[in-house]
Amino acid sequence: MPLSPARTRFPARAPAADRAAAAVFTFVLGNVLGPAATASLTRKLRREGSGDVEQAIGEAQAEAREIAAQFPRLRARLDTHSADYGAAPDNTFQIGLQAILDGLEALQHGSTQ
């Protein structure tokens, strides 16, 4: 028997809790997609016997850099730390997650500063 909103413990907060959980889930998922895709591609290339997998990936990245160099805004970003595949400053995940959690806590307490 499904619970009606009147019988749930926190009916008014349920949509907000769902949105908060979705925000955290989306952030976490976004942070694991790159490494998961790299691992999947590496396994696929190894299964197919594509030779030196790291070299093949490096060549693909070099080709992508050559293409990006044709565009001034992308070219300006090529020599930055963030241009490396999957690169991010130290503690980026922890800081981002903490910012989300702090923001959710502020919303819960009615503070939007």
Side-chain angles (χ1 to χ4, degrees), residues 26-89:
T26 302
F27 177 77
V28 172
L29 183 62
N31 276 274
V32 299
L33 281 178
T38 300
S40 178
L41 176 61
T42 300
R43 282 192 303 273
K44 180 179 185 253
L45 292 173
R46 284 194 178 124
R47 258 193 328 268
E48 294 174 352
S50 298
D52 186 348
V53 173
E54 284 75 22
Q55 181 181 353
I57 292 173
E59 289 171 359
Q61 289 174 330
E63 184 178 344
R65 288 178 69 84
E66 287 176 20
I67 293 169
Q70 298 172 24
F71 301 90
R73 290 185 182 169
L74 293 176
R75 186 174 48 247
R77 302 291 303 153
L78 286 176
D79 292 326
T80 64
H81 176 70
S82 62
D84 294 333
Y85 182 77

